[in-house]
Amino acid sequence: MPFVLSTASNARIEAVAQPNSSLNWLQLYVMRERSIAEQMVRRARLAGYGALVLTVDVPVSGYRERDVRNGFRLPFKPSPATLLNLALHPAWLMRFVASGMPAFVNLAEEEGADTLKLQAALLSREMERSLTWESLAWLRRLWDGPLLIKGILHPGDAAKACSAGVDGLIVSNHGGRQLDGAISSVGALNGVLQAVDGRIPVFADSGFRSGLDVAKALALGAKGVFLGRPLLYGLAAEGAQGATAVLELIATELERAMTLAGAHEVAALNPEILRTAALHLH
């Protein structure tokens, strides 16, 4: 199972790397200062990462009302309500203190460098807005492995990605946190798949919360499904054991959904299964 390490990770690229494994992928934001992306891509290549995932749907940050209400900013300044919440959860607070303040540790090439200014820039989404399809040539000079684009929703963009020599697509609306009212990933999936027409693998992301959700995406033709929040919920609750429990639950749900829909193997999941099993996409 691949793991996609975010640019905003709190663990360094090298610390997460698995020797001789192609299952570590790097998700890349290109910030206004392109040298940040360049050093991250170089480090990922040296650490043996198997794929680069370029995220293209954050030229500016969406207006995230929950972040505004929670005062989500750097440097972190706890509100009275936050302090009270921390006091009511002493065990969690002790683990937090032991782990230290979260930081986007990959923004600087040297470990331990002061990156507060860079972190604030990433948090405020100071992204490189001049990226175009032609910019992929710049990335190709830095990275000779598989290159995927994450954030595709329109069939026309999917077709352009194929023409540009991209190795895979991830249909994603950024978890619904960017453009209010954007089409859902599962709603956009079929159009993207038709535009790609089997030339490159297409994955799905955003809004998949159960094994049944995964079954629907696979039946439509997705190569695989990426899970974000469910894993984070499990990780926050019980650490690695919690994340494992979430994966096991989703696998059990997927197997049950396949059995009830009459699919004896993953390859048997197809659009006809969706119709005969009366599985609704929304």
Side-chain angles (χ1 to χ4, degrees):
M1 181 176 295
F3 173 73
V4 187
L5 184 74
S6 172
T7 290
S9 169
N10 293 297
R12 286 185 62 82
I13 291 170
E14 295 79 5
V16 178
Q18 299 291 323
N20 302 316
S21 173
S22 62
L23 296 182
N24 289 104
W25 299 5
L26 177 67
Q27 176 263 358
L28 184 70
Y29 288 123
V30 179
M31 298 175 64
R32 190 174 300 167
E33 178 52 67
R34 285 199 185 189
S35 63
I36 298 173
E38 290 174 350
Q39 60 91 3
M40 290 185 67
V41 171
R42 180 171 61 252
R43 288 164 54 206
R45 188 180 68 248
L46 292 174
Y49 276 57
L52 185 66
V53 179
L54 175 65
T55 302
V56 297
D57 57 358
V58 191
V60 296
S61 178
Y63 184 69
R64 303 176 182 181
E65 295 180 352
R66 184 174 294 179
D67 288 354
V68 174
R69 289 197 303 270
N70 292 334
F72 185 51
R73 61 187 179 273
L74 285 173
F76 174 64
K77 295 180 180 179
S79 66
T82 302
L83 292 173
L84 176 60
N85 199 8
L86 291 173
L88 293 174
H89 299 84
W92 187 93
L93 179 58
M94 290 179 64
R95 292 198 302 269
F96 176 80
V97 171
S99 300
M101 182 66 70
F104 304 148
V105 296
N106 284 307
L107 300 184
E109 189 162 5
E110 297 299 325
E111 186 172 4
D114 183 10
T115 61
L116 190 60
K117 184 177 180 180
L118 295 176
Q119 292 181 52
L122 178 58
L123 198 62
S124 62
R125 301 298 194 271
E126 292 183 7
M127 300 302 173
E128 173 62 275
R129 300 190 197 180
S130 66
L131 284 178
T132 64
W133 291 106
E134 289 70 28
S135 301
L136 292 176
W138 160 71
L139 265 184
R140 285 297 193 189
R141 289 194 294 271
L142 303 171
W143 178 264
D144 56 3
L147 173 63
L148 296 88
I149 291 183
K150 178 178 181 285
I152 296 295
L153 292 173
H154 195 282
D157 287 331
K160 288 180 181 178
C162 288
S163 300
V166 169
D167 299 299
L169 297 178
I170 301 178
V171 177
S172 170
N173 66 8
H174 212 93
R177 297 180 298 131
Q178 274 298 97
L179 179 62
D180 287 351
I183 188 173
S184 67
S185 294
V186 73
L189 182 57
N190 193 52
V192 170
L193 285 165
Q194 290 183 9
V196 168
D197 194 26
R199 286 175 286 177
I200 57 176
V202 175
F203 301 88
D205 172 80
S206 301
F208 297 91
R209 300 288 182 266
S210 69
L212 179 57
D213 290 342
V214 173
K216 294 175 184 179
L218 296 177
L220 286 173
K223 183 72 172 179
V225 173
F226 288 97
L227 301 170
R229 283 179 221 181
L231 269 293
L232 286 178
Y233 293 156
L235 186 67
E238 294 291 341
Q241 183 178 349
T244 299
V246 169
L247 289 173
E248 291 175 344
L249 175 61
I250 290 174
T252 299
E253 292 172 342
L254 173 59
E255 183 178 357
R256 181 178 293 112
M258 290 171 55
T259 303
L260 293 174
H264 64 285
E265 59 181 354
V266 172
L269 288 170
N270 54 52
E272 184 62 26
I273 285 283
L274 292 177
R275 288 188 288 269
T276 57
L279 297 179
H280 298 289
L281 291 179
H282 300 288

PDB file of all heavy atoms in Angstrom, residues 241-275:
ATOM      1  N   GLN A 241      -1.612   1.865  15.824  1.00  0.00           N
ATOM      2  CA  GLN A 241      -2.631   0.835  16.007  1.00  0.00           C
ATOM      3  C   GLN A 241      -3.989   1.323  15.514  1.00  0.00           C
ATOM      4  O   GLN A 241      -4.758   0.561  14.917  1.00  0.00           O
ATOM      5  CB  GLN A 241      -2.723   0.444  17.483  1.00  0.00           C
ATOM      6  CG  GLN A 241      -3.708  -0.682  17.773  1.00  0.00           C
ATOM      7  CD  GLN A 241      -3.724  -1.072  19.245  1.00  0.00           C
ATOM      8  OE1 GLN A 241      -2.860  -0.637  20.018  1.00  0.00           O
ATOM      9  NE2 GLN A 241      -4.692  -1.880  19.631  1.00  0.00           N
ATOM     10  N   GLY A 242      -4.289   2.593  15.740  1.00  0.00           N
ATOM     11  CA  GLY A 242      -5.552   3.144  15.274  1.00  0.00           C
ATOM     12  C   GLY A 242      -5.609   3.221  13.761  1.00  0.00           C
ATOM     13  O   GLY A 242      -6.649   2.922  13.149  1.00  0.00           O
ATOM     14  N   ALA A 243      -4.501   3.620  13.132  1.00  0.00           N
ATOM     15  CA  ALA A 243      -4.463   3.672  11.674  1.00  0.00           C
ATOM     16  C   ALA A 243      -4.631   2.278  11.077  1.00  0.00           C
ATOM     17  O   ALA A 243      -5.356   2.080  10.094  1.00  0.00           O
ATOM     18  CB  ALA A 243      -3.152   4.298  11.206  1.00  0.00           C
ATOM     19  N   THR A 244      -3.974   1.297  11.684  1.00  0.00           N
ATOM     20  CA  THR A 244      -4.118  -0.090  11.224  1.00  0.00           C
ATOM     21  C   THR A 244      -5.552  -0.564  11.357  1.00  0.00           C
ATOM     22  O   THR A 244      -6.090  -1.231  10.464  1.00  0.00           O
ATOM     23  CB  THR A 244      -3.185  -1.009  12.036  1.00  0.00           C
ATOM     24  OG1 THR A 244      -1.828  -0.605  11.832  1.00  0.00           O
ATOM     25  CG2 THR A 244      -3.345  -2.458  11.607  1.00  0.00           C
ATOM     26  N   ALA A 245      -6.199  -0.214  12.469  1.00  0.00           N
ATOM     27  CA  ALA A 245      -7.589  -0.626  12.683  1.00  0.00           C
ATOM     28  C   ALA A 245      -8.509  -0.038  11.619  1.00  0.00           C
ATOM     29  O   ALA A 245      -9.429  -0.712  11.141  1.00  0.00           O
ATOM     30  CB  ALA A 245      -8.047  -0.202  14.075  1.00  0.00           C
ATOM     31  N   VAL A 246      -8.263   1.213  11.223  1.00  0.00           N
ATOM     32  CA  VAL A 246      -9.078   1.840  10.181  1.00  0.00           C
ATOM     33  C   VAL A 246      -8.909   1.104   8.854  1.00  0.00           C
ATOM     34  O   VAL A 246      -9.877   0.806   8.147  1.00  0.00           O
ATOM     35  CB  VAL A 246      -8.716   3.328  10.032  1.00  0.00           C
ATOM     36  CG1 VAL A 246      -9.370   3.920   8.781  1.00  0.00           C
ATOM     37  CG2 VAL A 246      -9.166   4.113  11.259  1.00  0.00           C
ATOM     38  N   LEU A 247      -7.662   0.786   8.499  1.00  0.00           N
ATOM     39  CA  LEU A 247      -7.418   0.064   7.250  1.00  0.00           C
ATOM     40  C   LEU A 247      -8.079  -1.310   7.264  1.00  0.00           C
ATOM     41  O   LEU A 247      -8.659  -1.743   6.262  1.00  0.00           O
ATOM     42  CB  LEU A 247      -5.912  -0.080   7.019  1.00  0.00           C
ATOM     43  CG  LEU A 247      -5.164   1.207   6.656  1.00  0.00           C
ATOM     44  CD1 LEU A 247      -3.670   0.952   6.616  1.00  0.00           C
ATOM     45  CD2 LEU A 247      -5.661   1.767   5.342  1.00  0.00           C
ATOM     46  N   GLU A 248      -7.992  -1.994   8.386  1.00  0.00           N
ATOM     47  CA  GLU A 248      -8.618  -3.313   8.485  1.00  0.00           C
ATOM     48  C   GLU A 248     -10.129  -3.206   8.369  1.00  0.00           C
ATOM     49  O   GLU A 248     -10.780  -4.052   7.727  1.00  0.00           O
ATOM     50  CB  GLU A 248      -8.221  -3.973   9.802  1.00  0.00           C
ATOM     51  CG  GLU A 248      -6.747  -4.371   9.864  1.00  0.00           C
ATOM     52  CD  GLU A 248      -6.336  -4.907  11.230  1.00  0.00           C
ATOM     53  OE1 GLU A 248      -7.106  -4.683  12.212  1.00  0.00           O
ATOM     54  OE2 GLU A 248      -5.256  -5.521  11.322  1.00  0.00           O
ATOM     55  N   LEU A 249     -10.711  -2.186   8.968  1.00  0.00           N
ATOM     56  CA  LEU A 249     -12.155  -1.979   8.884  1.00  0.00           C
ATOM     57  C   LEU A 249     -12.586  -1.723   7.447  1.00  0.00           C
ATOM     58  O   LEU A 249     -13.564  -2.311   6.964  1.00  0.00           O
ATOM     59  CB  LEU A 249     -12.568  -0.809   9.776  1.00  0.00           C
ATOM     60  CG  LEU A 249     -14.044  -0.386   9.708  1.00  0.00           C
ATOM     61  CD1 LEU A 249     -14.954  -1.523  10.146  1.00  0.00           C
ATOM     62  CD2 LEU A 249     -14.274   0.853  10.572  1.00  0.00           C
ATOM     63  N   ILE A 250     -11.852  -0.867   6.750  1.00  0.00           N
ATOM     64  CA  ILE A 250     -12.205  -0.551   5.363  1.00  0.00           C
ATOM     65  C   ILE A 250     -12.046  -1.780   4.478  1.00  0.00           C
ATOM     66  O   ILE A 250     -12.867  -2.032   3.591  1.00  0.00           O
ATOM     67  CB  ILE A 250     -11.358   0.629   4.859  1.00  0.00           C
ATOM     68  CG1 ILE A 250     -11.810   1.903   5.579  1.00  0.00           C
ATOM     69  CG2 ILE A 250     -11.478   0.796   3.345  1.00  0.00           C
ATOM     70  CD1 ILE A 250     -10.976   3.119   5.283  1.00  0.00           C
ATOM     71  N   ALA A 251     -11.000  -2.575   4.715  1.00  0.00           N
ATOM     72  CA  ALA A 251     -10.820  -3.806   3.946  1.00  0.00           C
ATOM     73  C   ALA A 251     -11.977  -4.772   4.183  1.00  0.00           C
ATOM     74  O   ALA A 251     -12.479  -5.407   3.243  1.00  0.00           O
ATOM     75  CB  ALA A 251      -9.496  -4.462   4.322  1.00  0.00           C
ATOM     76  N   THR A 252     -12.431  -4.899   5.435  1.00  0.00           N
ATOM     77  CA  THR A 252     -13.560  -5.769   5.751  1.00  0.00           C
ATOM     78  C   THR A 252     -14.832  -5.269   5.078  1.00  0.00           C
ATOM     79  O   THR A 252     -15.607  -6.057   4.515  1.00  0.00           O
ATOM     80  CB  THR A 252     -13.766  -5.837   7.274  1.00  0.00           C
ATOM     81  OG1 THR A 252     -12.588  -6.377   7.882  1.00  0.00           O
ATOM     82  CG2 THR A 252     -14.952  -6.717   7.632  1.00  0.00           C
ATOM     83  N   GLU A 253     -15.041  -3.956   5.119  1.00  0.00           N
ATOM     84  CA  GLU A 253     -16.227  -3.376   4.474  1.00  0.00           C
ATOM     85  C   GLU A 253     -16.190  -3.592   2.962  1.00  0.00           C
ATOM     86  O   GLU A 253     -17.222  -3.871   2.338  1.00  0.00           O
ATOM     87  CB  GLU A 253     -16.304  -1.888   4.785  1.00  0.00           C
ATOM     88  CG  GLU A 253     -16.604  -1.568   6.237  1.00  0.00           C
ATOM     89  CD  GLU A 253     -16.488  -0.092   6.540  1.00  0.00           C
ATOM     90  OE1 GLU A 253     -15.853   0.635   5.744  1.00  0.00           O
ATOM     91  OE2 GLU A 253     -17.024   0.335   7.581  1.00  0.00           O
ATOM     92  N   LEU A 254     -14.998  -3.443   2.371  1.00  0.00           N
ATOM     93  CA  LEU A 254     -14.859  -3.659   0.927  1.00  0.00           C
ATOM     94  C   LEU A 254     -15.194  -5.100   0.569  1.00  0.00           C
ATOM     95  O   LEU A 254     -15.931  -5.365  -0.389  1.00  0.00           O
ATOM     96  CB  LEU A 254     -13.437  -3.310   0.484  1.00  0.00           C
ATOM     97  CG  LEU A 254     -13.073  -3.645  -0.963  1.00  0.00           C
ATOM     98  CD1 LEU A 254     -13.991  -2.926  -1.939  1.00  0.00           C
ATOM     99  CD2 LEU A 254     -11.602  -3.293  -1.228  1.00  0.00           C
ATOM    100  N   GLU A 255     -14.652  -6.039   1.329  1.00  0.00           N
ATOM    101  CA  GLU A 255     -14.924  -7.456   1.057  1.00  0.00           C
ATOM    102  C   GLU A 255     -16.416  -7.760   1.189  1.00  0.00           C
ATOM    103  O   GLU A 255     -16.992  -8.480   0.355  1.00  0.00           O
ATOM    104  CB  GLU A 255     -14.124  -8.331   2.014  1.00  0.00           C
ATOM    105  CG  GLU A 255     -14.295  -9.830   1.746  1.00  0.00           C
ATOM    106  CD  GLU A 255     -13.450 -10.675   2.674  1.00  0.00           C
ATOM    107  OE1 GLU A 255     -12.686 -10.101   3.485  1.00  0.00           O
ATOM    108  OE2 GLU A 255     -13.547 -11.907   2.592  1.00  0.00           O
ATOM    109  N   ARG A 256     -17.058  -7.203   2.215  1.00  0.00           N
ATOM    110  CA  ARG A 256     -18.488  -7.452   2.408  1.00  0.00           C
ATOM    111  C   ARG A 256     -19.299  -6.843   1.262  1.00  0.00           C
ATOM    112  O   ARG A 256     -20.232  -7.468   0.750  1.00  0.00           O
ATOM    113  CB  ARG A 256     -18.950  -6.880   3.756  1.00  0.00           C
ATOM    114  CG  ARG A 256     -20.433  -7.114   4.035  1.00  0.00           C
ATOM    115  CD  ARG A 256     -20.839  -6.586   5.397  1.00  0.00           C
ATOM    116  NE  ARG A 256     -20.206  -7.338   6.476  1.00  0.00           N
ATOM    117  CZ  ARG A 256     -19.290  -6.867   7.296  1.00  0.00           C
ATOM    118  NH1 ARG A 256     -18.878  -5.617   7.154  1.00  0.00           N
ATOM    119  NH2 ARG A 256     -18.775  -7.610   8.251  1.00  0.00           N
ATOM    120  N   ALA A 257     -18.936  -5.627   0.862  1.00  0.00           N
ATOM    121  CA  ALA A 257     -19.649  -4.980  -0.236  1.00  0.00           C
ATOM    122  C   ALA A 257     -19.513  -5.780  -1.526  1.00  0.00           C
ATOM    123  O   ALA A 257     -20.489  -5.952  -2.278  1.00  0.00           O
ATOM    124  CB  ALA A 257     -19.120  -3.557  -0.434  1.00  0.00           C
ATOM    125  N   MET A 258     -18.310  -6.290  -1.794  1.00  0.00           N
ATOM    126  CA  MET A 258     -18.100  -7.092  -2.994  1.00  0.00           C
ATOM    127  C   MET A 258     -18.930  -8.369  -2.945  1.00  0.00           C
ATOM    128  O   MET A 258     -19.540  -8.764  -3.949  1.00  0.00           O
ATOM    129  CB  MET A 258     -16.613  -7.420  -3.140  1.00  0.00           C
ATOM    130  CG  MET A 258     -15.746  -6.229  -3.490  1.00  0.00           C
ATOM    131  SD  MET A 258     -13.963  -6.597  -3.401  1.00  0.00           S
ATOM    132  CE  MET A 258     -13.865  -8.012  -4.505  1.00  0.00           C
ATOM    133  N   THR A 259     -18.948  -9.010  -1.791  1.00  0.00           N
ATOM    134  CA  THR A 259     -19.706 -10.255  -1.654  1.00  0.00           C
ATOM    135  C   THR A 259     -21.187 -10.023  -1.907  1.00  0.00           C
ATOM    136  O   THR A 259     -21.850 -10.772  -2.652  1.00  0.00           O
ATOM    137  CB  THR A 259     -19.499 -10.855  -0.255  1.00  0.00           C
ATOM    138  OG1 THR A 259     -18.097 -11.065  -0.042  1.00  0.00           O
ATOM    139  CG2 THR A 259     -20.243 -12.168  -0.101  1.00  0.00           C
ATOM    140  N   LEU A 260     -21.723  -8.971  -1.294  1.00  0.00           N
ATOM    141  CA  LEU A 260     -23.153  -8.701  -1.441  1.00  0.00           C
ATOM    142  C   LEU A 260     -23.506  -8.224  -2.847  1.00  0.00           C
ATOM    143  O   LEU A 260     -24.634  -8.414  -3.313  1.00  0.00           O
ATOM    144  CB  LEU A 260     -23.583  -7.651  -0.411  1.00  0.00           C
ATOM    145  CG  LEU A 260     -23.513  -8.106   1.049  1.00  0.00           C
ATOM    146  CD1 LEU A 260     -23.809  -6.945   1.996  1.00  0.00           C
ATOM    147  CD2 LEU A 260     -24.503  -9.256   1.298  1.00  0.00           C
ATOM    148  N   ALA A 261     -22.539  -7.601  -3.540  1.00  0.00           N
ATOM    149  CA  ALA A 261     -22.792  -7.133  -4.901  1.00  0.00           C
ATOM    150  C   ALA A 261     -22.525  -8.220  -5.942  1.00  0.00           C
ATOM    151  O   ALA A 261     -22.810  -8.026  -7.121  1.00  0.00           O
ATOM    152  CB  ALA A 261     -21.920  -5.908  -5.199  1.00  0.00           C
ATOM    153  N   GLY A 262     -21.958  -9.356  -5.515  1.00  0.00           N
ATOM    154  CA  GLY A 262     -21.722 -10.462  -6.437  1.00  0.00           C
ATOM    155  C   GLY A 262     -20.399 -10.388  -7.160  1.00  0.00           C
ATOM    156  O   GLY A 262     -20.243 -10.988  -8.236  1.00  0.00           O
ATOM    157  N   ALA A 263     -19.420  -9.663  -6.606  1.00  0.00           N
ATOM    158  CA  ALA A 263     -18.099  -9.568  -7.223  1.00  0.00           C
ATOM    159  C   ALA A 263     -17.139 -10.479  -6.463  1.00  0.00           C
ATOM    160  O   ALA A 263     -16.830 -10.223  -5.302  1.00  0.00           O
ATOM    161  CB  ALA A 263     -17.597  -8.130  -7.195  1.00  0.00           C
ATOM    162  N   HIS A 264     -16.654 -11.540  -7.117  1.00  0.00           N
ATOM    163  CA  HIS A 264     -15.801 -12.513  -6.442  1.00  0.00           C
ATOM    164  C   HIS A 264     -14.357 -12.070  -6.361  1.00  0.00           C
ATOM    165  O   HIS A 264     -13.550 -12.676  -5.652  1.00  0.00           O
ATOM    166  CB  HIS A 264     -15.896 -13.870  -7.146  1.00  0.00           C
ATOM    167  CG  HIS A 264     -15.373 -13.845  -8.550  1.00  0.00           C
ATOM    168  ND1 HIS A 264     -16.081 -13.278  -9.589  1.00  0.00           N
ATOM    169  CD2 HIS A 264     -14.223 -14.310  -9.083  1.00  0.00           C
ATOM    170  CE1 HIS A 264     -15.374 -13.393 -10.707  1.00  0.00           C
ATOM    171  NE2 HIS A 264     -14.249 -14.014 -10.424  1.00  0.00           N
ATOM    172  N   GLU A 265     -13.981 -11.022  -7.096  1.00  0.00           N
ATOM    173  CA  GLU A 265     -12.638 -10.465  -7.041  1.00  0.00           C
ATOM    174  C   GLU A 265     -12.722  -8.988  -7.454  1.00  0.00           C
ATOM    175  O   GLU A 265     -13.721  -8.545  -8.034  1.00  0.00           O
ATOM    176  CB  GLU A 265     -11.681 -11.216  -7.973  1.00  0.00           C
ATOM    177  CG  GLU A 265     -12.114 -11.202  -9.425  1.00  0.00           C
ATOM    178  CD  GLU A 265     -11.160 -11.981 -10.313  1.00  0.00           C
ATOM    179  OE1 GLU A 265     -10.114 -12.414  -9.800  1.00  0.00           O
ATOM    180  OE2 GLU A 265     -11.455 -12.138 -11.508  1.00  0.00           O
ATOM    181  N   VAL A 266     -11.644  -8.256  -7.139  1.00  0.00           N
ATOM    182  CA  VAL A 266     -11.664  -6.821  -7.423  1.00  0.00           C
ATOM    183  C   VAL A 266     -11.881  -6.559  -8.908  1.00  0.00           C
ATOM    184  O   VAL A 266     -12.582  -5.622  -9.294  1.00  0.00           O
ATOM    185  CB  VAL A 266     -10.355  -6.163  -6.933  1.00  0.00           C
ATOM    186  CG1 VAL A 266     -10.283  -4.713  -7.393  1.00  0.00           C
ATOM    187  CG2 VAL A 266     -10.265  -6.231  -5.415  1.00  0.00           C
ATOM    188  N   ALA A 267     -11.289  -7.399  -9.751  1.00  0.00           N
ATOM    189  CA  ALA A 267     -11.435  -7.209 -11.200  1.00  0.00           C
ATOM    190  C   ALA A 267     -12.878  -7.335 -11.660  1.00  0.00           C
ATOM    191  O   ALA A 267     -13.238  -6.853 -12.739  1.00  0.00           O
ATOM    192  CB  ALA A 267     -10.560  -8.217 -11.943  1.00  0.00           C
ATOM    193  N   ALA A 268     -13.726  -7.981 -10.845  1.00  0.00           N
ATOM    194  CA  ALA A 268     -15.133  -8.138 -11.209  1.00  0.00           C
ATOM    195  C   ALA A 268     -15.962  -6.903 -10.896  1.00  0.00           C
ATOM    196  O   ALA A 268     -17.136  -6.827 -11.285  1.00  0.00           O
ATOM    197  CB  ALA A 268     -15.724  -9.346 -10.491  1.00  0.00           C
ATOM    198  N   LEU A 269     -15.383  -5.949 -10.185  1.00  0.00           N
ATOM    199  CA  LEU A 269     -16.094  -4.699  -9.925  1.00  0.00           C
ATOM    200  C   LEU A 269     -16.109  -3.863 -11.203  1.00  0.00           C
ATOM    201  O   LEU A 269     -15.062  -3.526 -11.756  1.00  0.00           O
ATOM    202  CB  LEU A 269     -15.399  -3.919  -8.804  1.00  0.00           C
ATOM    203  CG  LEU A 269     -15.541  -4.490  -7.398  1.00  0.00           C
ATOM    204  CD1 LEU A 269     -14.610  -3.762  -6.433  1.00  0.00           C
ATOM    205  CD2 LEU A 269     -16.981  -4.396  -6.918  1.00  0.00           C
ATOM    206  N   ASN A 270     -17.279  -3.546 -11.685  1.00  0.00           N
ATOM    207  CA  ASN A 270     -17.437  -2.791 -12.922  1.00  0.00           C
ATOM    208  C   ASN A 270     -18.738  -1.995 -12.865  1.00  0.00           C
ATOM    209  O   ASN A 270     -19.545  -2.174 -11.937  1.00  0.00           O
ATOM    210  CB  ASN A 270     -17.424  -3.741 -14.130  1.00  0.00           C
ATOM    211  CG  ASN A 270     -18.457  -4.847 -13.998  1.00  0.00           C
ATOM    212  OD1 ASN A 270     -19.637  -4.576 -13.751  1.00  0.00           O
ATOM    213  ND2 ASN A 270     -18.035  -6.097 -14.153  1.00  0.00           N
ATOM    214  N   PRO A 271     -18.974  -1.101 -13.818  1.00  0.00           N
ATOM    215  CA  PRO A 271     -20.204  -0.297 -13.775  1.00  0.00           C
ATOM    216  C   PRO A 271     -21.482  -1.127 -13.738  1.00  0.00           C
ATOM    217  O   PRO A 271     -22.481  -0.708 -13.150  1.00  0.00           O
ATOM    218  CB  PRO A 271     -20.108   0.531 -15.064  1.00  0.00           C
ATOM    219  CG  PRO A 271     -18.651   0.658 -15.319  1.00  0.00           C
ATOM    220  CD  PRO A 271     -18.058  -0.665 -14.887  1.00  0.00           C
ATOM    221  N   GLU A 272     -21.476  -2.311 -14.344  1.00  0.00           N
ATOM    222  CA  GLU A 272     -22.669  -3.158 -14.323  1.00  0.00           C
ATOM    223  C   GLU A 272     -22.988  -3.593 -12.890  1.00  0.00           C
ATOM    224  O   GLU A 272     -24.163  -3.710 -12.514  1.00  0.00           O
ATOM    225  CB  GLU A 272     -22.448  -4.383 -15.212  1.00  0.00           C
ATOM    226  CG  GLU A 272     -23.662  -5.283 -15.335  1.00  0.00           C
ATOM    227  CD  GLU A 272     -24.854  -4.585 -15.960  1.00  0.00           C
ATOM    228  OE1 GLU A 272     -24.656  -3.616 -16.735  1.00  0.00           O
ATOM    229  OE2 GLU A 272     -25.989  -4.996 -15.664  1.00  0.00           O
ATOM    230  N   ILE A 273     -21.933  -3.818 -12.087  1.00  0.00           N
ATOM    231  CA  ILE A 273     -22.144  -4.158 -10.676  1.00  0.00           C
ATOM    232  C   ILE A 273     -22.893  -3.038  -9.968  1.00  0.00           C
ATOM    233  O   ILE A 273     -23.780  -3.270  -9.143  1.00  0.00           O
ATOM    234  CB  ILE A 273     -20.793  -4.419  -9.979  1.00  0.00           C
ATOM    235  CG1 ILE A 273     -20.234  -5.788 -10.379  1.00  0.00           C
ATOM    236  CG2 ILE A 273     -20.924  -4.321  -8.467  1.00  0.00           C
ATOM    237  CD1 ILE A 273     -20.893  -6.959  -9.685  1.00  0.00           C
ATOM    238  N   LEU A 274     -22.512  -1.782 -10.290  1.00  0.00           N
ATOM    239  CA  LEU A 274     -23.194  -0.648  -9.669  1.00  0.00           C
ATOM    240  C   LEU A 274     -24.677  -0.647  -9.988  1.00  0.00           C
ATOM    241  O   LEU A 274     -25.523  -0.355  -9.135  1.00  0.00           O
ATOM    242  CB  LEU A 274     -22.566   0.673 -10.144  1.00  0.00           C
ATOM    243  CG  LEU A 274     -21.140   0.987  -9.695  1.00  0.00           C
ATOM    244  CD1 LEU A 274     -20.668   2.275 -10.306  1.00  0.00           C
ATOM    245  CD2 LEU A 274     -21.070   1.078  -8.182  1.00  0.00           C
ATOM    246  N   ARG A 275     -25.013  -0.998 -11.229  1.00  0.00           N
ATOM    247  CA  ARG A 275     -26.425  -0.994 -11.632  1.00  0.00           C
ATOM    248  C   ARG A 275     -27.188  -2.163 -11.019  1.00  0.00           C
ATOM    249  O   ARG A 275     -28.293  -1.998 -10.482  1.00  0.00           O
ATOM    250  CB  ARG A 275     -26.520  -1.020 -13.160  1.00  0.00           C
ATOM    251  CG  ARG A 275     -26.129   0.269 -13.827  1.00  0.00           C
ATOM    252  CD  ARG A 275     -26.426   0.244 -15.306  1.00  0.00           C
ATOM    253  NE  ARG A 275     -25.492  -0.632 -16.016  1.00  0.00           N
ATOM    254  CZ  ARG A 275     -24.349  -0.214 -16.542  1.00  0.00           C
ATOM    255  NH1 ARG A 275     -23.983   1.049 -16.410  1.00  0.00           N
ATOM    256  NH2 ARG A 275     -23.547  -1.043 -17.170  1.00  0.00           N
TER     257      ARG A 275
END
